[in-house]
Amino acid sequence: HGSSLSLTSTPEPGYHVEAVLVDGAFVGPYRPMVIGLPLGDPFTYTLSNVTASHAISASFAPNPSVTITATSGANGSINPSGQVTFLGETDKTFTIAPNPGYVIADVLVDGVSVGAVSSHTFTKVMTAHTITASFRLPDQYVIEASAGLNGTISPSGEVPVLSETSKTFYITPASGYRVADVVVDGASVGAVASYQFVNVTANHTISATFSPVITSTSGANGMISPKGVTVVASGSDATYTITPYPGYHIAD
């Protein structure tokens, strides 16, 4: 008795306080019910110096609808799309997805770029907006692959590679030859049978060279040196020494 009591009416998202009645008389809220003003705020009414019983009631109404126009270019999609209408002062998220083999080029919100984002959320929307997504092919780089005589590299030539992807090259010598060296961007990586470029973000070169091999064997009662498989630099000489054991001579 004689004290005060404050009562707050709080609308759910997308709704506003339409009217608060105390003992059947309208007490608020006193504001225009038009989109463009913050309709979703709580409304507080204070009963002062209470000396009798009272009744207070609140009613709520949906906010005026707003529309966001969502469009996308070729090779991708935006979801939801078209004329997207929903209650004002709520949030709305749009998801942008490129088709396989494409990337997001840009997203425009009300004509202004927000970058190549995969989603965008409009917060407490009160006015109409537009959102547009565009797509493009990913950046490409070129790896120049070449092989010397007596072997191959695959793939070869000017090989296009999508940005931030990987590409493997296979080096195969011809019969009677071995890989002599593989050079990537001017630096040797050894006599490898394959080489992979990982997360490509620039142009590269790869080249392979091959050397002939001599396979040497000897029968019983003598030896040949060097023995086995010897890789010989192309155009160079290779000398072999054949030695019979005591009591034997070279037959052929």
Side-chain angles (χ1 to χ4, degrees):
H1 185 87
S3 63
S4 298
L5 177 66
S6 293
L7 296 146
T8 300
S9 304
T10 304
E12 294 182 353
Y15 291 79
H16 59 271
V17 181
E18 184 177 40
V20 174
L21 304 179
V22 174
D23 298 330
F26 177 82
V27 296
Y30 299 98
R31 59 176 175 235
M33 296 302 171
V34 293
I35 201 68
L37 295 177
L39 300 178
D41 294 344
F43 177 78
T44 299
Y45 182 79
T46 300
L47 292 165
S48 301
N49 189 28
V50 177
T51 58
S53 297
H54 294 281
I56 182 168
S57 64
S59 60
F60 306 92
N63 292 341
S65 297
V66 293
T67 298
I68 294 178
T69 303
T71 57
S72 64
N75 305 309
S77 63
I78 186 169
N79 185 40
S81 65
Q83 300 288 322
V84 182
T85 301
F86 52 98
L87 295 179
E89 286 197 2
T90 55
D91 299 344
K92 195 67 177 178
T93 298
F94 291 81
T95 302
I96 299 97
N99 290 345
Y102 290 83
V103 297
I104 300 169
D106 198 10
V107 176
L108 302 179
V109 173
D110 298 330
V112 178
S113 172
V114 294
V117 296
S118 58
S119 67
H120 181 80
T121 300
F122 293 88
T123 304
K124 289 191 174 299
V125 181
M126 299 172 64
T127 57
H129 294 279
T130 61
I131 181 170
T132 304
S134 57
F135 307 91
R136 63 175 175 81
L137 288 169
D139 292 330
Q140 285 190 335
Y141 296 98
V142 172
I143 298 177
E144 295 186 8
S146 60
L149 297 174
N150 305 306
T152 61
I153 187 169
S154 179
S156 64
E158 293 187 351
V159 181
V161 181
L162 295 179
S163 177
E164 298 183 3
T165 61
S166 300
K167 191 69 177 180
T168 300
F169 291 80
Y170 298 93
I171 299 94
T172 306
S175 178
Y177 288 82
R178 293 290 186 272
V179 179
D181 196 14
V182 176
V183 176
V184 174
D185 296 333
S188 173
V189 295
V192 296
S194 66
Y195 184 85
Q196 183 180 53
F197 293 90
V198 179
N199 191 34
V200 176
T201 57
N203 296 327
H204 294 281
T205 61
I206 181 172
S207 61
T209 54
F210 307 90
S211 292
V213 296
I214 297 176
T215 303
S216 60
T217 61
S218 63
N221 304 308
M223 61 182 181
I224 186 169
S225 179
K227 184 178 181 180
V229 177
T230 303
V231 178
V232 184
S234 182
S236 64
D237 298 337
T239 300
Y240 286 78
T241 303
I242 298 95
T243 307
Y245 290 165
Y248 289 85
H249 64 272
I250 298 170
D252 198 8

